[in-house]
Amino acid sequence: AAAPAFRATARVARRAAAVQTRAMADGAGEEVSPVELVDVRVGKVLKAYKHPEADKLYIEEIDVGEAEPRQICSGLVPYMSAEEIEGQNVIVLANLKSRNLAGVPSHGMILCASDEAHENVELLVCPEGAVPGERVMFGSWDGEQSEPHTENQMKKKKTWEKVAPDLKTTADCVAAYKELEMVTSAGPVKCKSLANALIG
C-alpha cells in the first residue's frame, strides 16, 4: 500500500517543482521594467489633416526614422488645430499593431498629456535638436535600454497597459514614468502647461 502513496507524493512534488520553475522564469522576465519594452520614438509631424469619415480624428503623416512616414490617426480635433500639430516633434508609441480607425489604417499613437476630466489635452513635444526616429529613454540618455517588444508581444503581454498608469507629467510639465523622466538626445520631453497630468 505504501508504493502507490509514494508515487502520488512524488507526482505532487514534481508538479510543485514545475510550478516553482515557471514562477522563477516569470520572475526573471519581470526584472526588465515594462517601460523599457515600449518603443517610444521622436516623430516629426509632416502633415496633419481631418479624417474624412470621423469628426474627432486627425490623420497625421509622421517621420519616425523609417523609409516611409507613419500614418497615425489621433482623436485631437476637439483640442487643437491641425496647424498646431503640423511641424511638431512629437512622441510616438511605435510598436503598436496597425488598426483601422473609421476605415483608415493607423500605425502607432501620439502621446499627449491630459487633465483628469480629459477637457484639456496637450502634445508631448521634444526639444529643438531631437532627431526623428531616435528612441526615447527614461531616466538618463546615457543609460541602457532593452530591446523593445515586437508588436505581437505588446498585444499578447499587454505591455502598454502595464506602463500607461504610471506615465504622468511632473510639477514642471516633464513627461515621466514613475520617477524617471522621458528624455531625448536634446533633453527632456515636456507638454506646454499641464502639470501632474495623465499621459496617454
Side-chain angles (χ1 to χ4, degrees):
F6 174 80
R7 283 199 295 272
T9 304
R11 276 200 305 274
V12 169
R14 283 197 301 273
R15 204 173 298 131
V19 168
Q20 186 176 7
T21 301
R22 280 199 300 274
M24 287 170 68
D26 289 344
E30 291 298 326
E31 286 176 12
V32 176
S33 171
V35 80
E36 291 190 39
L37 302 173
V38 293
D39 188 3
V40 181
R41 295 192 218 166
V42 176
K44 177 85 167 179
V45 182
L46 307 175
K47 194 173 180 183
Y49 51 96
K50 283 192 175 178
H51 192 301
E53 304 295 334
D55 292 343
K56 293 184 179 180
L57 293 180
Y58 287 121
I59 301 171
E60 298 101 4
E61 294 175 16
I62 305 177
D63 176 7
V64 291
E66 297 171 338
E68 298 291 330
R70 287 276 189 113
Q71 180 172 274
I72 294 177
C73 297
S74 304
L76 297 174
V77 172
Y79 309 107
M80 61 194 75
S81 68
E83 290 75 22
E84 289 175 287
I85 302 171
E86 212 165 273
Q88 294 279 9
N89 268 349
V90 297
I91 295 297
V92 174
L93 179 58
N95 55 341
L96 293 179
K97 279 195 160 191
S98 180
R99 60 192 183 119
N100 279 351
L101 293 179
V104 172
S106 178
H107 193 191
M109 180 168 72
I110 294 178
L111 297 186
C112 296
S114 73
D115 57 18
E116 285 200 28
H118 212 68
E119 293 173 352
N120 298 290
V121 175
E122 295 177 357
L123 294 171
L124 295 183
V125 293
C126 309
E128 191 83 26
V131 181
E134 71 179 35
R135 195 172 168 205
V136 171
M137 303 285 283
F138 290 86
S140 166
W141 180 250
D142 298 325
E144 291 188 2
Q145 200 169 26
S146 300
E147 279 296 306
H149 269 168
T150 64
E151 293 175 4
N152 283 333
Q153 286 174 319
M154 283 284 286
K155 184 176 181 181
K156 183 179 178 181
K157 297 179 181 293
K158 300 188 182 300
T159 313
W160 175 243
E161 288 81 353
K162 293 174 184 174
V163 171
D166 290 312
L167 282 173
K168 293 182 173 63
T169 61
T170 67
D172 297 321
C173 302
V174 176
Y177 173 76
K178 297 183 178 178
E179 303 301 317
L180 303 173
E181 291 189 352
M182 191 184 291
V183 293
T184 69
S185 60
V189 175
K190 304 181 77 170
C191 67
K192 188 176 180 181
S193 66
L194 293 175
N196 305 310
L198 307 172
I199 292 175

